[in-house]
């Protein structure tokens, strides 16, 4: 048995060695002229990827809170779990963009911090969570604007037209529509609660399903 | 008449959820940690130098799966009257952070890494299952053990087998004279899975 295990180990280590040999020996000669992103902009984009994932985990905590049996708001839970996965998709879209521009060929391992623990994990009611969500989106919007600012004008004096257009037309577009939607929900729910309190939240929750 | 609900237990808690709640919460956090790690591995394979869409697809799929399972596990904990705690991570998983872990790996190493991660997740499910099958009322909870069996263990068995098969194939293929072509063909195969 031991000798079999050793043989397997040997085969594995040979395979590993040959895989590494191949990779280390083959120097790629790909023109670099097309790589035109500048560091200040790249670093802002890298940081934004983690911001999106932080937002995802914050929404995850909201989803978890409203799933509790003592809170029992399945509509809110669904809204927030879906928002969590959407934020993760945003992070992946930013990654895909950098890859398309020839970036992320190194320092990939440090791109995302290990666990992004959400700051707030319980809410007094649905309205307060929706308000927190709206505030969260507003800070994300501000951060995307910061990325745009740096990618448009920076110490390297390089205006990254295409990325600025993508962030403006795609990301900001979604931010503003999402914020309007959340603000509308806060408004409707607050008005419902004014007259009907708990009943208002109960009814609103079922609307979200 | 005012009905007082304070004296009767109106929560969804029954059985031994309290006994395994922390283990389940930890398990959720491990899923999200793995999901991000798989995402980094997928990213590495998607850059123009590596350019292996098959490997990217494999790791992206694993990232998507662990993310989804994390959410479903939170929903399960709350179904059983529990709640989520995002702070709990096992000391073993925390220890991995020492010395800046590397997710930019060569092809065979990356699949071996995924196999290792999946085995760790499977063994953790076994551990929680063992807690829930102890024959004392504080821990015995057949609903939890059955949930783990049906929602996790069968899937984990299949992923582990698949990844182990990939390492066998890839080890054999890399021992052929043209490694580059072997990796290209294997990547192409992964892409079609
Ligand atoms: Fe976002």
């Amino acid at each position: 048995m031991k000798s079999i295990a050793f043989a397997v180990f040997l085969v594995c280590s040979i395979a590993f060695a040959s895989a590494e040999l191949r990779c280390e020996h083959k120097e790629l000669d790909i023109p670099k002229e097309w790589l035109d992103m500048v560091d200040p902009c790249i670093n802002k984009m890298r940081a934004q990827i983690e911001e999106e994932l932080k937002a995802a985990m914050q929404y995850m905590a909201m989803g978890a809170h409203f799933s509790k049996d003592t809170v029992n708001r399945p509509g809110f839970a669904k809204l927030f779990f879906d928002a969590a996965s959407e934020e993760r998709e945003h992070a992946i879209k930013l990654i895909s963009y950098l890859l398309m521009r020839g970036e992320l060929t190194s320092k990939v391992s440090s791109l995302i911090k290990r666990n992004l623990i959400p700051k707030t994990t319980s809410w007094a009611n649905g309205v307060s969570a929706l308000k927190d969500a709206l505030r969260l989106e507003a800070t994300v919007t501000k951060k995307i604007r910061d990325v745009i600012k740096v990618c448009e004008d920076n110490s390297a004096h390089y205006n990254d037209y295409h990325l600025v257009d993508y962030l403006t037309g795609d990301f900001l577009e979604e931010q503003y529509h999402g914020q309007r939607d959340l603000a509308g929900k806060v408004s409707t729910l607050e008005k419902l609660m004014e007259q009907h309190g708990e009943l208002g939240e109960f009814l609103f929750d079922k609307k979200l399903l | 008449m005012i009905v007082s609900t304070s004296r009767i237990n109106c929560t969804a808690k029954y059985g031994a959820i309290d006994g395994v709640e922390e283990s389940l919460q930890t398990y959720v956090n491990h899923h999200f940690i793995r999901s991000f790690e798989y995402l980094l591995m997928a990213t590495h394979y998607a850059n123009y130098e590596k350019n292996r869409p098959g490997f990217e697809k494999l790791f992206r799929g694993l990232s998507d799966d662990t993310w989804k399972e994390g959410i479903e596990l939170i929903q399960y904990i709350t179904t059983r009257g529990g709640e989520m705690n995002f702070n709990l991570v096992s000391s073993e998983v925390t220890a991995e952070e020492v010395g800046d872990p590397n997710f930019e790996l060569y092809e065979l190493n990356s699949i071996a890494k995924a196999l290792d991660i999946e085995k760790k997740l499977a063994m953790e499910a076994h551990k929680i299952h063992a807690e829930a099958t102890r024959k004392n009322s504080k821990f015995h909870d057949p609903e939890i053990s059955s949930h783990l069996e049906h929602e996790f263990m069968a899937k984990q068995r299949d992923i582990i087998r698949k990844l182990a098969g990939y390492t066998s194939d890839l080890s054999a293929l890399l021992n052929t004279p043209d490694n580059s072509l072997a990796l290209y063909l294997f990547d192409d195969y992964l892409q079609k899975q």
Side-chain angles (χ1 to χ4, degrees):
Chain A
M1 191 62 210
K2 247 189 186 161
S3 64
I4 293 172
F6 182 68
V8 169
F9 171 72
L10 207 67
V11 169
C12 280
S13 52
I14 289 167
F16 271 70
S18 61
E20 271 164 18
L21 272 179
R22 190 205 77 82
C23 294
E24 276 164 15
H25 279 249
K26 186 138 185 215
E27 275 281 332
L28 293 167
D29 182 24
I30 305 167
K32 301 278 182 211
E33 288 83 352
W34 66 287
L35 300 172
D36 59 358
M37 283 191 80
V38 294
D39 283 341
C41 173
I42 295 168
N43 292 335
K44 271 286 190 189
M45 279 288 277
R46 285 177 64 103
Q48 189 61 31
I49 290 165
E50 199 170 87
E51 288 301 328
E52 300 288 342
L53 292 173
K54 265 191 219 161
M57 293 311 291
Q58 187 53 67
Y59 276 125
M60 191 72 81
M62 292 181 178
H65 171 81
F66 288 96
S67 298
K68 284 193 269 193
D69 61 334
T70 47
V71 177
N72 201 40
R73 290 285 172 261
F76 281 96
K78 184 180 177 295
L79 176 76
F80 293 134
F81 279 132
D82 288 350
S85 294
E86 250 171 59
E87 293 308 325
R88 175 175 176 267
E89 289 298 328
H90 294 165
I92 293 171
K93 271 173 80 173
L94 293 173
I95 289 174
S96 301
Y97 185 89
L98 284 173
L99 289 165
M100 182 275 287
R101 292 286 299 272
E103 293 305 323
L104 296 176
T105 50
S106 65
K107 292 190 290 174
V108 171
S109 300
S110 58
L111 193 57
I112 306 169
K113 246 189 250 105
R114 194 67 182 289
N115 50 346
L116 308 162
I117 299 166
K119 281 199 192 94
T120 318
T121 52
S122 90
W123 288 265
N125 51 37
V127 170
S128 69
L130 284 176
K131 285 181 182 174
D132 266 10
L134 184 52
R135 283 187 205 103
L136 176 63
E137 290 302 336
T139 61
V140 171
T141 302
K142 202 170 157 285
K143 284 188 170 134
I144 293 169
R145 283 177 52 87
D146 286 344
V147 181
I148 293 172
K149 231 180 266 169
V150 170
C151 292
E152 190 166 54
D153 189 22
N154 43 60
S155 54
H157 302 295
Y158 187 85
N159 186 330
D160 204 319
Y161 300 112
H162 185 266
L163 173 55
V164 167
D165 181 60
Y166 178 62
L167 289 174
T168 310
D170 207 289
F171 275 73
L172 283 186
E173 167 86 2
E174 201 175 324
Q175 284 306 118
Y176 290 130
H177 280 279
Q179 286 172 182
R180 169 61 184 80
D181 181 58
L182 281 168
K185 284 189 164 70
V186 172
S187 164
T188 301
L189 180 55
E190 213 155 37
K191 281 183 274 184
L192 273 174
M193 303 258 319
E194 207 180 312
Q195 296 290 323
H196 304 287
E198 281 296 322
L199 177 62
E201 191 181 286
F202 176 86
L203 290 173
F204 189 83
D205 178 66
K206 306 312 170 241
K207 274 289 203 192
L208 293 173
L209 282 171
Chain B
M1 196 187 97
I2 296 164
V3 181
S4 167
T5 53
S6 63
R7 271 186 299 146
I8 34 168
N9 180 358
C10 281
T11 75
K13 280 194 175 170
Y14 67 97
I17 177 69
D18 284 332
V20 293
E21 188 175 13
E22 283 192 7
S23 306
L24 288 170
Q25 290 162 341
T26 307
Y27 202 34
V28 172
N29 292 324
H30 290 175
H31 273 79
F32 293 140
I33 287 173
R34 298 315 184 193
S35 177
F36 292 154
E37 292 177 350
Y38 281 137
L39 185 56
L40 295 177
M41 289 161 79
T43 300
H44 172 61
Y45 279 102
N47 76 42
Y48 77 93
E49 285 175 355
K50 290 304 288 187
N51 207 39
R52 299 233 184 268
F55 280 85
E56 180 200 5
K57 189 182 166 194
L58 173 68
F59 296 124
R60 179 59 200 285
L62 291 169
S63 177
D64 292 349
D65 290 346
T66 38
W67 178 261
K68 216 177 107 239
E69 281 156 12
I71 294 177
E72 285 169 359
L73 200 50
I74 293 177
Q75 290 166 334
Y76 175 70
I77 294 172
T78 59
T79 298
R80 288 300 309 266
E83 58 179 35
M84 184 51 200
N85 179 345
F86 291 91
N87 295 292
L88 301 178
V89 178
S90 78
S91 51
E92 288 92 340
V93 174
T94 307
E96 292 171 10
E97 279 163 53
V98 184
D100 296 323
N102 180 20
F103 301 101
E104 292 147 277
L105 303 165
Y106 296 124
E107 285 78 0
L108 183 56
N109 303 41
S110 70
I111 292 182
K113 169 107 188 160
L115 181 58
D116 182 52
I117 288 176
E118 291 301 325
K119 281 186 181 174
K120 280 181 184 165
L121 286 173
M123 291 315 290
E124 197 173 342
H126 283 191
K127 230 179 86 193
I128 305 170
H129 186 277
E131 284 174 34
T133 40
R134 268 188 273 175
K135 292 277 181 285
N136 83 52
S137 61
K138 234 184 115 201
F139 288 102
H140 184 61
D141 196 318
E143 196 284 325
I144 294 175
S145 38
S146 133
H147 181 84
L148 288 168
E149 285 164 17
H150 290 101
E151 298 299 321
F152 288 90
M153 291 176 182
K155 249 188 274 174
Q156 286 164 340
R157 171 199 65 207
D158 293 342
I159 292 171
I160 288 169
R161 173 62 182 83
K162 188 173 82 175
L163 292 171
Y166 289 166
T167 56
S168 302
D169 275 344
L170 203 47
S171 314
L173 289 172
L174 286 170
N175 271 328
T176 56
D178 194 341
N179 283 338
S180 293
L181 182 61
L183 284 168
Y184 174 81
L185 290 173
F186 192 75
D187 182 71
D188 194 52
Y189 163 76
L190 285 181
Q191 218 182 324
K192 287 171 187 142
Q193 295 310 296

